[in-house]
Amino acid sequence: MSGEYAALTFRASHVPQELTRPYELSFGSVPAFEAHYVYLVDAAGAVRGIGEITPLPGYGSETPAVVRQEVAGFAGHVARGGAPQEWIRSCHLRSPFVSSALECMFETLRMGLDRTLHAPLEREVPLCAICQGHSPEELAANAGALVRAGYRTLKVKLGKGDATADAARIAAVHQAAGGRAGIRMDANQAYGFDAAVRLAEAVGGMGVDHFEQPFGVDAWSEHAALARVSPVPVMLDESIGSPEDVRRAADIGVGLVKFKLCKALGMAGLEESVATARSLGLGVILGNGVQTGLGNRLEHYVHAACGLETASEAIGFLKPRTPYPGQHTEIRAGMLRHGGLAPLAAADLDGGLFAEARLAWGQKLEGEENGA
């Protein structure tokens, strides 16, 4: 069918999600996800397109205040008759989380919510499990439980650059896993170069799949130098924000890159990034641990569409006390069976409403599928 944007209303809502336990990162503890949803509503009050913005302190410059400011700017732009894609693209370099969510909102509208959100995924998605704990003993206990539950990839968040302590923690996970699970190490930029080399050498025979983002976003020379000497492949996450960054990662010799939907220009942009990385011989890890069931479902959709076999890190949906409305998921032996998200009305999201605009332009949406 075809429709007109002018028949829809844009809305944005802030819906904080308390977590079952704080998410521990090298730059702080996260007790809740500051989830923001942007969505298009038809005259009957049904959501027709939707995206998620969940900023993370310490990861980029987008704070909840910045998100609200950018979204208000978009609402004003479209209410005055401005073209939405023009604004979204102009926003992408300064606020990629916001532009990605807005692009996803229009993609889900064009492609249809039945296809992108409501329908069960045809493929199961392997999941990476976060192995939480501060002490080696706590990590070992959690690693053993996760392996018994069927997970075959475990991720350990490293400390604040202490190679000796982190090597002991990784050794405890390795011993507890007993060779039944690969281990991913994530430093979240907390390491210095000499300490990173010592850690990589210490864990080289412990089944570690990769060493994620040991240094700062712009520390390309340090990552290149580490990649040359490390027995563990180096992966970049925070440093990857554009196709040019992907090509630069390949040039400096790292082994893998990590992609998140929140940094791509929508699902199409994410698929393009995956294709670029593959063409350059880079390994690809996909998924965001700081998203609710909406953003992660879209990442699972792309993971399946791209045929990725690596364990997904789109696992934020498991952390909130209250799941995303209408979330139908099942995990067996570390494999996600996604049964889809139930259709929503605007009333399901409007509790934290902070922006609204009647769309004033009249372009046709040719080929739009009915996702209501």
Side-chain angles (χ1 to χ4, degrees), residues 190-205:
Y191 261 73
F193 182 78
D194 291 342
V197 172
R198 291 197 302 273
L199 177 60
E201 291 175 344
V203 304

Side-chain angles (χ1 to χ4, degrees), residues 76-90:
H77 175 79
V78 298
R80 294 188 296 271
Q85 271 67 32
E86 173 186 294
W87 193 95
I88 291 169
R89 280 159 178 74
S90 71

Side-chain angles (χ1 to χ4, degrees), residues 34-45:
E34 296 293 338
H36 300 69
Y37 301 113
V38 290
Y39 44 107
L40 298 171
V41 182
D42 66 17

